[in-house]
């Protein structure tokens, strides 16, 4: 705990790095908000509960977006909460549209911006037909990258644009919040015969970026790994690679590996208990014959869903824009 | 002269015309049977009537024997003589009755000299035009039935005409008879009349026969002061309106309508009787008192029904217009929202986007800037006719609300009976967020509402369904795909079942809810509920739940502030979420505006917290700094302290003296 680097930082910086102040401010704010209720059982208990929930990652439930994205820990907690709550949807095998995923996000965070979900969808769908259906795991991993590293990705987008249009990549770029990914991507004809940018050059710029800026970026070593097998890549190809990279996922620590995405035995147990309880609560008229739900859309059997999970490592029909040379 | 009691019959039967003449004259040979006549005349023909063809003119010249002339001085019958023209009749200038029946005469000629003629019978000839009668000023009876006359004309001088029979001709129009003020009987049966008018001037007419024509409407009959008998059988009359003038004719006592379309109608008899109280006989049958009474009763009922249906159709029309108006306003509102959203997008992005393409509206003249945009919409709205902007309709067990203005109607004083009967409430063209605010009112005022329908209410998020949890009970839910994008989601029905599981809903959008559906819903979202309830810290739970209840309470207070008794009841009710799974209770829906409001409110607090924490941090860092500084300086300080102490005690005696001094000083 008393590591030397910790003591080496001056106080403000230390506090800022750990986002302590954010949590303190939020705690006091919550206290003020719910003064009457909390005064019933004491302030000390309140603070205990608050910081316990911060540790457990449940503090972001049903909070406003500005809080949810305030710290990396909040973001990780949010991703984890989303996974835990809606893993069952994924397990069921339903493919949902971007809007529906956004709805699910909004169940946990009422003012979650549509923009982020759209960007995440674009990663999965490689910027085509944003109304397509996506699987839960595809969406979740892409969303993870987009949400956790959103500022980083904005800068990357700016760099990519510059590289694409041939500008000097080493100039300092200060992207505005939304300019990056909204810029018109130049038509393929302009970029010449080859798609995307050269991987090594791209990586150099990324490295510079990571050094320069303080917001979180993926570990450069892992990024290098992701770029290792390709000569050229496109922006969304790069993002897709990031989202599929196990190492980065593990470095984040929010979600389990892709193969284990649908597994959560503790929750499954709890779920079974809930289902049994709900069965017992049924009124007599609802004990009907076991016809399949007549809701008119495809239901997937459990086996199919499990197959789907295991086959997730097989490339999906989406074409990754890798351009392997020879 | 000839008072005449003339009973006309249809032209079909044998022309048994009976004349009761003045006592002066002896009976007309027409009283005899046809057979007698023929017998008589045929025997006389050779003898007494010579039709000598003259070499001078083409007309045959009639000659009668002098005995005949003396016997039948005033009448002459030339029936069935195969005449093709009227013969010249000489020396018979005091003839009064002339009979040319059943011949082939084409023109009326050569009778101008018979200026004393009273009755002229040209029945069953081939006469095409009325002519040659201008000298017959005494003529009282003119029988021109069964000819080929196309037009009534040349009757100007026949001012004494009493009976005019023109049945069985080709007459299309009633004309040129307005001067016949002594005419009592007019027979126009079996002609080609399509309407009846131009009857003024016939001040003596008592009988008018118009059977077997194509009459569709009748006019001017009220101008006939003496008309008693009117025969309109076998025409084309289909409504009483087309013969409405009959009601004003006080003299009419006998009328026939049989063979007309009107006689087939169910309302025929009583309508006629009701409108023509003066009638004594209808379709040749006497009208009884009973019939009259029935007629008036039925007519009254008809009147009621018509009034009722008129009122209904007016209401319906008004409703339709109102709904159209509401729909139009809704569309305009949606487009306005869409265009504002796209304008915001435009501000962010660099590329220009054409708003017309975005919302796909048909308003091609959409201006690009927001300023003129709003004014354009305002102009359009002003152009709408001033119709209601909302509609509230109660139809048995259904309460339908169109347009957001309708939501205020929930505040009305609904009678307990009406409110109790309502089982279905339907919302159309109203923003769901606005409906959310009135749900508590709905719960109180319409306790039996079990089926909710939403159409064009802008349901876009699953979260919005959370708002329905506060109701007492819902059995059925219908979300119309039109105007509710949420229906396009794959999981919406399961989410509804999950969130509103405590209602045990029976039907969603018409399909029954099966146990499998409920289980699936639980499976999909059960963990969400578990997380939402068990993993939230206590204070969050309390605050979220408290928030929701406070909101409900606030709405109730706003609506019924003055009645404390009822408030207590509602308070109790809201304290127990009736059978609701409390693990779902934290899944609430706050409308966007309320949410933003709340966030705004918190901003102040956040700022305060920030400064407060900053102050704390400053203090803490100061203390920390001081602590660190102390840590650094302490060794040195300690050494100095020790050194000072050692130096002090080096000389024992002087130190003892110093201490004692200090003690005495203290005292």
């Amino acid at each position: 705990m008393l590591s030397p680097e910790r003591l080496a930082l001056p106080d403000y910086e230390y506090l800022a790095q750990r986002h302590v102040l954010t949590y303190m401010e939020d705690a006091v704010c919550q206290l003020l908000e719910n003064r009457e209720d909390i005064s019933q059982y004491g302030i000390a208990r309140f603070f205990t509960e608050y910081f316990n929930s911060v540790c457990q990652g449940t503090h972001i439930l049903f909070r406003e977006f500005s809080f949810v994205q305030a710290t990396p820990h909040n973001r990780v907690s949010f991703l984890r909460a989303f996974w835990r709550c809606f893993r069952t949807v994924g397990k069921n095998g339903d493919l949902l549209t971007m809007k529906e995923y956004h709805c699910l996000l909004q169940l946990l965070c009422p003012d979650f911006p549509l923009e982020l979900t759209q960007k995440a969808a674009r990663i999965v769908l490689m910027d085509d037909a944003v109304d397509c259906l996506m699987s839960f795991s595809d969406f979740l991993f892409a969303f993870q990258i987009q949400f956790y590293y959103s500022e980083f990705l904005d800068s990357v987008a700016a760099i990519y644009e510059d590289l694409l249009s041939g500008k000097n990549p080493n100039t300092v770029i200060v992207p505005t919040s939304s300019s990056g990914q909204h810029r018109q991507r130049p038509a393929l004809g302009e970029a010449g015969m080859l798609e995307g940018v050269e991987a090594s050059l791209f990586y150099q710029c990324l490295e510079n970026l990571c050094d320069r800026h303080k917001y979180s970026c993926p570990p450069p070593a892992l990024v290098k790994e992701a770029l290792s097998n390709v000569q050229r890549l496109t922006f969304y190809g790069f993002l897709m690679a990031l989202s599929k990279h196990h190492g980065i996922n593990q470095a984040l620590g929010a979600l389990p590996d892709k193969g284990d995405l649908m597994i959560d035995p503790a929750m499954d147990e709890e779920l079974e208990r809930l289902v049994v309880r709900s069965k017992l609560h049924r009124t007599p008229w609802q004990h009907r014959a076991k016809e399949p739900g007549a809701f008119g859309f495809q239901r997937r059997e459990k086996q199919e869903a499990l197959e789907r999970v295991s086959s997730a490592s097989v490339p999906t029909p989406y074409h990754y824009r890798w351009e392997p040379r020879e | 002269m000839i008072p005449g009691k003339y009973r006309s019959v249809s032209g079909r039967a044998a022309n048994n015309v009976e004349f009761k003449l003045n006592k002066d004259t002896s009976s007309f040979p027409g009283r005899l049977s046809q057979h007698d006549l023929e017998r008589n005349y045929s025997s006389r023909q050779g003898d007494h009537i010579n039709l000598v063809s003259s070499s001078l003119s083409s007309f045959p010249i009639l000659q009668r024997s002098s005995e005949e002339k003396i016997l039948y001085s005033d009448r002459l019958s030339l029936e069935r003589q195969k005449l093709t023209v009227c013969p010249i009749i000489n020396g018979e200038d005091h003839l009064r009755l002339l009979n040319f029946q059943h011949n082939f005469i084409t023109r009326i000629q050569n009778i101008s000299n018979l200026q004393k003629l009273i009755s002229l019978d040209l029945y069953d000839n081939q006469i095409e035009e009325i002519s040659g009668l201008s000298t017959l000023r005494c003529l009282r009876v003119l029988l021109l039935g069964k000819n080929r006359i196309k037009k009534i004309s040349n009757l100007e001088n026949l001012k004494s005409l009493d009976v005019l029979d023109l049945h069985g001709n080709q007459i299309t129009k009633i004309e040129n008879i307005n001067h016949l003020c002594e005419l009592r009987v007019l027979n126009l049966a079996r002609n080609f009349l399509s309407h009846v008018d131009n009857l003024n001037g016939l001040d003596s007419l008592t009988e008018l026969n118009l059977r077997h024509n194509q009459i569709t409407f009748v006019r001017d009959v009220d101008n006939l002061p003496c008309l008693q008998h009117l025969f309109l059988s076998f025409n084309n009359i289909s409504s009483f309106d087309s013969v409405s003038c009959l009601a004003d004719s006080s003299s009419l006592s006998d009328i026939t309508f049989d063979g007309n379309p009107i006689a087939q109608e169910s309302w025929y008899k009583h309508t006629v009787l009701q409108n023509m109280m003066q009638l004594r006989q209808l379709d040749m049958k006497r009208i009884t008192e009973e019939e009259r009474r029935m007629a008036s009763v039925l007519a009254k009922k008809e009147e009621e029904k018509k009034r009722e249906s008129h009122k209904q159709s007016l209401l319906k029309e008004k409703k339709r217009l109102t709904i159209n108006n509401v729909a139009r306003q809704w569309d305009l509102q949606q487009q306005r929202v869409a265009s504002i959203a796209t304008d915001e997008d435009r501000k962010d992005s660099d590329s220009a986007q054409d708003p017309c393409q975005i919302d796909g509206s048909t308003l091609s003249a959409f201006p690009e800037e927001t300023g003129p945009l709003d004014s354009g919409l305002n102009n359009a709205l002003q152009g709408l006719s001033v119709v209601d902007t909302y509609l509230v309709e109660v139809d048995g067990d259904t309460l339908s609300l169109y347009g957001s203005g309708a939501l205020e109607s929930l505040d009305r004083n609904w009678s307990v009976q009406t409110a109790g009967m309502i089982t279905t409430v339907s919302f159309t063209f109203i923003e769901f967020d606005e409906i959310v605010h009135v749900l508590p009112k709905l719960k109180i005022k319409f306790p039996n509402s079990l089926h909710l329908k939403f159409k064009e209410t802008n349901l876009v998020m699953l979260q919005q369904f959370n708002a329905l949890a506060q109701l007492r009970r819902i059995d059925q839910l219908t979300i119309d795909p039109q105007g509710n994008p949420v229906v396009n989601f794959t999981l919406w029905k399961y989410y509804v079942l999950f969130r509103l599981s405590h209602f045990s809903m029976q039907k969603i959008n018409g399909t029954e809810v099966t146990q499998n559906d409920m289980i699936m819903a639980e499976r999909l979202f059960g963990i969400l509920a578990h997380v939402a309830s068990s993993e939230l810290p206590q204070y969050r739970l309390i605050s979220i739940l408290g928030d929701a209840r406070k909101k409900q309470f606030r709405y109730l207070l706003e609506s019924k502030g003055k009645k404390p008794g009822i408030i207590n009841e509602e308070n109790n009710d809201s304290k127990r979420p009736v059978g609701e799974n409390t693990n779902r209770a934290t899944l609430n829906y706050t409308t966007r505006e309320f949410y933003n409001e709340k966030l705004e409110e918190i901003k102040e607090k956040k700022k305060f917290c920030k400064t407060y924490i900053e102050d704390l941090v400053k203090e803490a860092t100061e203390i920390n700094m001081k602590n660190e500084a102390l840590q650094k300086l302490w060794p040195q300080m300690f050494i100095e302290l020790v050194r000072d102490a050692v130096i002090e005690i080096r000389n024992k005696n002087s130190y003892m003296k110093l201490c004692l001094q200090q003690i005495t000083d203290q005292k």
Side-chain angles (χ1 to χ4, degrees), chain B residues 644-657:
Chain B
D644 288 344
V646 166
I647 291 173
E648 233 179 39
I649 335 176
R650 208 167 48 182
N651 193 343
K652 263 198 213 166
N653 294 328
S654 53
Y655 185 64
M656 272 196 305
K657 266 191 211 154

mmCIF file with all atom_site columns, all heavy atoms in Angstrom, chain B residues 644-657:
data_model
loop_
_atom_site.group_PDB
_atom_site.id
_atom_site.type_symbol
_atom_site.label_atom_id
_atom_site.label_alt_id
_atom_site.label_comp_id
_atom_site.label_asym_id
_atom_site.label_entity_id
_atom_site.label_seq_id
_atom_site.pdbx_PDB_ins_code
_atom_site.Cartn_x
_atom_site.Cartn_y
_atom_site.Cartn_z
_atom_site.occupancy
_atom_site.B_iso_or_equiv
_atom_site.pdbx_formal_charge
_atom_site.auth_seq_id
_atom_site.auth_comp_id
_atom_site.auth_asym_id
_atom_site.auth_atom_id
_atom_site.pdbx_PDB_model_num
ATOM 1   N N   . ASP B 1 644 ? 19.396 21.859 24.267 1.00 0.00 ? 644 ASP B N   1
ATOM 2   C CA  . ASP B 1 644 ? 18.984 22.944 25.159 1.00 0.00 ? 644 ASP B CA  1
ATOM 3   C C   . ASP B 1 644 ? 18.785 22.435 26.578 1.00 0.00 ? 644 ASP B C   1
ATOM 4   O O   . ASP B 1 644 ? 19.243 23.059 27.554 1.00 0.00 ? 644 ASP B O   1
ATOM 5   C CB  . ASP B 1 644 ? 17.692 23.591 24.673 1.00 0.00 ? 644 ASP B CB  1
ATOM 6   C CG  . ASP B 1 644 ? 17.902 24.418 23.425 1.00 0.00 ? 644 ASP B CG  1
ATOM 7   O OD1 . ASP B 1 644 ? 19.059 24.742 23.106 1.00 0.00 ? 644 ASP B OD1 1
ATOM 8   O OD2 . ASP B 1 644 ? 16.879 24.724 22.756 1.00 0.00 ? 644 ASP B OD2 1
ATOM 9   N N   . ALA B 1 645 ? 18.126 21.299 26.653 1.00 0.00 ? 645 ALA B N   1
ATOM 10  C CA  . ALA B 1 645 ? 17.859 20.752 27.991 1.00 0.00 ? 645 ALA B CA  1
ATOM 11  C C   . ALA B 1 645 ? 19.161 20.397 28.697 1.00 0.00 ? 645 ALA B C   1
ATOM 12  O O   . ALA B 1 645 ? 19.355 20.700 29.888 1.00 0.00 ? 645 ALA B O   1
ATOM 13  C CB  . ALA B 1 645 ? 16.963 19.530 27.866 1.00 0.00 ? 645 ALA B CB  1
ATOM 14  N N   . VAL B 1 646 ? 20.065 19.761 27.951 1.00 0.00 ? 646 VAL B N   1
ATOM 15  C CA  . VAL B 1 646 ? 21.343 19.348 28.564 1.00 0.00 ? 646 VAL B CA  1
ATOM 16  C C   . VAL B 1 646 ? 22.122 20.583 29.027 1.00 0.00 ? 646 VAL B C   1
ATOM 17  O O   . VAL B 1 646 ? 22.671 20.621 30.133 1.00 0.00 ? 646 VAL B O   1
ATOM 18  C CB  . VAL B 1 646 ? 22.159 18.513 27.567 1.00 0.00 ? 646 VAL B CB  1
ATOM 19  C CG1 . VAL B 1 646 ? 23.595 18.364 28.035 1.00 0.00 ? 646 VAL B CG1 1
ATOM 20  C CG2 . VAL B 1 646 ? 21.510 17.151 27.368 1.00 0.00 ? 646 VAL B CG2 1
ATOM 21  N N   . ILE B 1 647 ? 22.154 21.588 28.133 1.00 0.00 ? 647 ILE B N   1
ATOM 22  C CA  . ILE B 1 647 ? 22.875 22.799 28.505 1.00 0.00 ? 647 ILE B CA  1
ATOM 23  C C   . ILE B 1 647 ? 22.294 23.412 29.780 1.00 0.00 ? 647 ILE B C   1
ATOM 24  O O   . ILE B 1 647 ? 23.010 23.852 30.683 1.00 0.00 ? 647 ILE B O   1
ATOM 25  C CB  . ILE B 1 647 ? 22.840 23.811 27.351 1.00 0.00 ? 647 ILE B CB  1
ATOM 26  C CG1 . ILE B 1 647 ? 23.687 23.304 26.175 1.00 0.00 ? 647 ILE B CG1 1
ATOM 27  C CG2 . ILE B 1 647 ? 23.344 25.185 27.805 1.00 0.00 ? 647 ILE B CG2 1
ATOM 28  C CD1 . ILE B 1 647 ? 23.589 24.128 24.920 1.00 0.00 ? 647 ILE B CD1 1
ATOM 29  N N   . GLU B 1 648 ? 20.993 23.379 29.823 1.00 0.00 ? 648 GLU B N   1
ATOM 30  C CA  . GLU B 1 648 ? 20.319 23.967 30.987 1.00 0.00 ? 648 GLU B CA  1
ATOM 31  C C   . GLU B 1 648 ? 20.719 23.294 32.272 1.00 0.00 ? 648 GLU B C   1
ATOM 32  O O   . GLU B 1 648 ? 20.938 23.923 33.306 1.00 0.00 ? 648 GLU B O   1
ATOM 33  C CB  . GLU B 1 648 ? 18.802 23.848 30.779 1.00 0.00 ? 648 GLU B CB  1
ATOM 34  C CG  . GLU B 1 648 ? 18.096 25.166 30.924 1.00 0.00 ? 648 GLU B CG  1
ATOM 35  C CD  . GLU B 1 648 ? 16.626 25.006 30.684 1.00 0.00 ? 648 GLU B CD  1
ATOM 36  O OE1 . GLU B 1 648 ? 16.034 23.984 31.115 1.00 0.00 ? 648 GLU B OE1 1
ATOM 37  O OE2 . GLU B 1 648 ? 16.058 25.911 30.044 1.00 0.00 ? 648 GLU B OE2 1
ATOM 38  N N   . ILE B 1 649 ? 20.765 21.960 32.264 1.00 0.00 ? 649 ILE B N   1
ATOM 39  C CA  . ILE B 1 649 ? 21.004 21.241 33.523 1.00 0.00 ? 649 ILE B CA  1
ATOM 40  C C   . ILE B 1 649 ? 22.486 21.065 33.835 1.00 0.00 ? 649 ILE B C   1
ATOM 41  O O   . ILE B 1 649 ? 22.844 20.487 34.862 1.00 0.00 ? 649 ILE B O   1
ATOM 42  C CB  . ILE B 1 649 ? 20.333 19.848 33.533 1.00 0.00 ? 649 ILE B CB  1
ATOM 43  C CG1 . ILE B 1 649 ? 19.143 19.758 32.589 1.00 0.00 ? 649 ILE B CG1 1
ATOM 44  C CG2 . ILE B 1 649 ? 19.879 19.488 34.923 1.00 0.00 ? 649 ILE B CG2 1
ATOM 45  C CD1 . ILE B 1 649 ? 18.566 18.371 32.539 1.00 0.00 ? 649 ILE B CD1 1
ATOM 46  N N   . ARG B 1 650 ? 23.381 21.548 32.973 1.00 0.00 ? 650 ARG B N   1
ATOM 47  C CA  . ARG B 1 650 ? 24.812 21.315 33.196 1.00 0.00 ? 650 ARG B CA  1
ATOM 48  C C   . ARG B 1 650 ? 25.276 21.793 34.583 1.00 0.00 ? 650 ARG B C   1
ATOM 49  O O   . ARG B 1 650 ? 25.953 21.111 35.334 1.00 0.00 ? 650 ARG B O   1
ATOM 50  C CB  . ARG B 1 650 ? 25.621 22.033 32.115 1.00 0.00 ? 650 ARG B CB  1
ATOM 51  C CG  . ARG B 1 650 ? 26.923 21.282 31.893 1.00 0.00 ? 650 ARG B CG  1
ATOM 52  C CD  . ARG B 1 650 ? 27.659 21.673 30.692 1.00 0.00 ? 650 ARG B CD  1
ATOM 53  N NE  . ARG B 1 650 ? 27.769 23.111 30.587 1.00 0.00 ? 650 ARG B NE  1
ATOM 54  C CZ  . ARG B 1 650 ? 28.349 23.672 29.567 1.00 0.00 ? 650 ARG B CZ  1
ATOM 55  N NH1 . ARG B 1 650 ? 28.838 22.919 28.596 1.00 0.00 ? 650 ARG B NH1 1
ATOM 56  N NH2 . ARG B 1 650 ? 28.409 24.984 29.504 1.00 0.00 ? 650 ARG B NH2 1
ATOM 57  N N   . ASN B 1 651 ? 24.828 22.990 34.936 1.00 0.00 ? 651 ASN B N   1
ATOM 58  C CA  . ASN B 1 651 ? 25.179 23.477 36.273 1.00 0.00 ? 651 ASN B CA  1
ATOM 59  C C   . ASN B 1 651 ? 24.030 23.211 37.209 1.00 0.00 ? 651 ASN B C   1
ATOM 60  O O   . ASN B 1 651 ? 23.002 23.876 37.186 1.00 0.00 ? 651 ASN B O   1
ATOM 61  C CB  . ASN B 1 651 ? 25.464 24.981 36.202 1.00 0.00 ? 651 ASN B CB  1
ATOM 62  C CG  . ASN B 1 651 ? 26.115 25.465 37.442 1.00 0.00 ? 651 ASN B CG  1
ATOM 63  O OD1 . ASN B 1 651 ? 26.104 24.801 38.485 1.00 0.00 ? 651 ASN B OD1 1
ATOM 64  N ND2 . ASN B 1 651 ? 26.725 26.642 37.379 1.00 0.00 ? 651 ASN B ND2 1
ATOM 65  N N   . LYS B 1 652 ? 24.201 22.127 38.069 1.00 0.00 ? 652 LYS B N   1
ATOM 66  C CA  . LYS B 1 652 ? 23.088 21.713 38.919 1.00 0.00 ? 652 LYS B CA  1
ATOM 67  C C   . LYS B 1 652 ? 22.586 22.834 39.803 1.00 0.00 ? 652 LYS B C   1
ATOM 68  O O   . LYS B 1 652 ? 21.378 23.052 39.900 1.00 0.00 ? 652 LYS B O   1
ATOM 69  C CB  . LYS B 1 652 ? 23.540 20.556 39.826 1.00 0.00 ? 652 LYS B CB  1
ATOM 70  C CG  . LYS B 1 652 ? 23.178 19.196 39.301 1.00 0.00 ? 652 LYS B CG  1
ATOM 71  C CD  . LYS B 1 652 ? 23.261 18.171 40.443 1.00 0.00 ? 652 LYS B CD  1
ATOM 72  C CE  . LYS B 1 652 ? 23.705 16.845 39.873 1.00 0.00 ? 652 LYS B CE  1
ATOM 73  N NZ  . LYS B 1 652 ? 24.130 15.908 40.894 1.00 0.00 ? 652 LYS B NZ  1
ATOM 74  N N   . ASN B 1 653 ? 23.519 23.557 40.460 1.00 0.00 ? 653 ASN B N   1
ATOM 75  C CA  . ASN B 1 653 ? 23.091 24.547 41.458 1.00 0.00 ? 653 ASN B CA  1
ATOM 76  C C   . ASN B 1 653 ? 22.309 25.666 40.821 1.00 0.00 ? 653 ASN B C   1
ATOM 77  O O   . ASN B 1 653 ? 21.215 26.014 41.261 1.00 0.00 ? 653 ASN B O   1
ATOM 78  C CB  . ASN B 1 653 ? 24.304 25.139 42.212 1.00 0.00 ? 653 ASN B CB  1
ATOM 79  C CG  . ASN B 1 653 ? 24.983 24.091 43.059 1.00 0.00 ? 653 ASN B CG  1
ATOM 80  O OD1 . ASN B 1 653 ? 24.328 23.190 43.567 1.00 0.00 ? 653 ASN B OD1 1
ATOM 81  N ND2 . ASN B 1 653 ? 26.290 24.200 43.248 1.00 0.00 ? 653 ASN B ND2 1
ATOM 82  N N   . SER B 1 654 ? 22.866 26.213 39.789 1.00 0.00 ? 654 SER B N   1
ATOM 83  C CA  . SER B 1 654 ? 22.172 27.340 39.151 1.00 0.00 ? 654 SER B CA  1
ATOM 84  C C   . SER B 1 654 ? 20.811 26.884 38.574 1.00 0.00 ? 654 SER B C   1
ATOM 85  O O   . SER B 1 654 ? 19.842 27.667 38.565 1.00 0.00 ? 654 SER B O   1
ATOM 86  C CB  . SER B 1 654 ? 23.038 27.970 38.051 1.00 0.00 ? 654 SER B CB  1
ATOM 87  O OG  . SER B 1 654 ? 23.475 26.979 37.151 1.00 0.00 ? 654 SER B OG  1
ATOM 88  N N   . TYR B 1 655 ? 20.740 25.584 38.119 1.00 0.00 ? 655 TYR B N   1
ATOM 89  C CA  . TYR B 1 655 ? 19.470 25.087 37.603 1.00 0.00 ? 655 TYR B CA  1
ATOM 90  C C   . TYR B 1 655 ? 18.430 25.006 38.698 1.00 0.00 ? 655 TYR B C   1
ATOM 91  O O   . TYR B 1 655 ? 17.269 25.370 38.498 1.00 0.00 ? 655 TYR B O   1
ATOM 92  C CB  . TYR B 1 655 ? 19.665 23.724 36.932 1.00 0.00 ? 655 TYR B CB  1
ATOM 93  C CG  . TYR B 1 655 ? 18.427 23.197 36.258 1.00 0.00 ? 655 TYR B CG  1
ATOM 94  C CD1 . TYR B 1 655 ? 17.847 23.857 35.175 1.00 0.00 ? 655 TYR B CD1 1
ATOM 95  C CD2 . TYR B 1 655 ? 17.805 22.037 36.765 1.00 0.00 ? 655 TYR B CD2 1
ATOM 96  C CE1 . TYR B 1 655 ? 16.697 23.400 34.595 1.00 0.00 ? 655 TYR B CE1 1
ATOM 97  C CE2 . TYR B 1 655 ? 16.664 21.579 36.177 1.00 0.00 ? 655 TYR B CE2 1
ATOM 98  C CZ  . TYR B 1 655 ? 16.100 22.247 35.108 1.00 0.00 ? 655 TYR B CZ  1
ATOM 99  O OH  . TYR B 1 655 ? 14.932 21.801 34.522 1.00 0.00 ? 655 TYR B OH  1
ATOM 100 N N   . MET B 1 656 ? 18.853 24.534 39.912 1.00 0.00 ? 656 MET B N   1
ATOM 101 C CA  . MET B 1 656 ? 17.919 24.441 41.034 1.00 0.00 ? 656 MET B CA  1
ATOM 102 C C   . MET B 1 656 ? 17.402 25.806 41.405 1.00 0.00 ? 656 MET B C   1
ATOM 103 O O   . MET B 1 656 ? 16.219 26.008 41.590 1.00 0.00 ? 656 MET B O   1
ATOM 104 C CB  . MET B 1 656 ? 18.617 23.816 42.263 1.00 0.00 ? 656 MET B CB  1
ATOM 105 C CG  . MET B 1 656 ? 18.538 22.297 42.271 1.00 0.00 ? 656 MET B CG  1
ATOM 106 S SD  . MET B 1 656 ? 18.919 21.543 43.867 1.00 0.00 ? 656 MET B SD  1
ATOM 107 C CE  . MET B 1 656 ? 20.509 22.191 44.278 1.00 0.00 ? 656 MET B CE  1
ATOM 108 N N   . LYS B 1 657 ? 18.291 26.773 41.411 1.00 0.00 ? 657 LYS B N   1
ATOM 109 C CA  . LYS B 1 657 ? 17.879 28.131 41.744 1.00 0.00 ? 657 LYS B CA  1
ATOM 110 C C   . LYS B 1 657 ? 16.892 28.643 40.741 1.00 0.00 ? 657 LYS B C   1
ATOM 111 O O   . LYS B 1 657 ? 15.884 29.256 41.082 1.00 0.00 ? 657 LYS B O   1
ATOM 112 C CB  . LYS B 1 657 ? 19.130 29.045 41.775 1.00 0.00 ? 657 LYS B CB  1
ATOM 113 C CG  . LYS B 1 657 ? 19.776 29.238 43.118 1.00 0.00 ? 657 LYS B CG  1
ATOM 114 C CD  . LYS B 1 657 ? 20.841 30.375 43.056 1.00 0.00 ? 657 LYS B CD  1
ATOM 115 C CE  . LYS B 1 657 ? 21.916 30.012 44.088 1.00 0.00 ? 657 LYS B CE  1
ATOM 116 N NZ  . LYS B 1 657 ? 23.222 30.572 43.778 1.00 0.00 ? 657 LYS B NZ  1
#
